[in-house]
């Protein structure tokens, strides 16, 4: 993770955002030496959210607390994907 002071980041914001967005680099913006905010790629956040959802699913499965699912045929019908 790259750290940069907010005061220094002002003049480099476009470059820092591109580095985070395209290079999947996390940029920590510091204020008086303390991390105040992070610039991260939306894809990184989506990956974390996916991993969290999978971990939650596995936990509920292990606990036996999963709700019944919807059969694939019903999903296809609701989405209008029925094959004719």
């Amino acid at each position: 993770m790259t750290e940069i002071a907010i005061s220094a980041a002002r003049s480099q914001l476009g470059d820092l955002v591109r580095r985070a967005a395209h290079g999947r680099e996390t940029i920590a913006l510091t204020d008086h030496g303390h991390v105040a905010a992070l610039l991260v790629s939306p894809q990184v956040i989506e990956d974390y959210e996916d991993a969290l959802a999978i971990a939650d699913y596995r936990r509920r499965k292990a606990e036996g607390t999963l709700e019944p699912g919807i059969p694939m045929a019903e999903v296809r019908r609701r989405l209008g994907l029925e094959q004719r």
Side-chain angles (χ1 to χ4, degrees):
M1 176 168 38
T2 302
E3 291 188 13
I4 185 167
I6 293 171
S7 57
R10 282 187 180 100
S11 64
Q12 303 174 49
L13 188 57
D15 179 56
L16 294 172
V17 168
R18 281 186 287 283
R19 283 170 50 188
H22 302 294
R24 296 177 61 105
E25 179 181 354
T26 300
I27 311 289
L29 302 178
T30 61
D31 188 23
H32 301 288
H34 299 283
V35 175
L38 298 174
L39 291 175
V40 296
S41 166
Q43 186 61 50
V44 169
I45 300 300
E46 290 172 14
D47 292 347
Y48 285 141
E49 290 172 342
D50 290 347
L52 183 59
I54 290 168
D56 184 55
Y57 168 81
R58 288 178 177 158
R59 177 190 54 81
R60 289 184 294 129
K61 184 177 180 181
E63 292 172 348
T65 58
L66 279 177
E67 296 292 322
I70 300 172
M72 181 57 80
E74 177 64 12
V75 171
R76 293 182 69 75
R77 185 190 68 74
R78 290 183 187 184
L79 293 175
L81 300 174
E82 292 183 43
Q83 294 179 345
R84 300 184 193 274

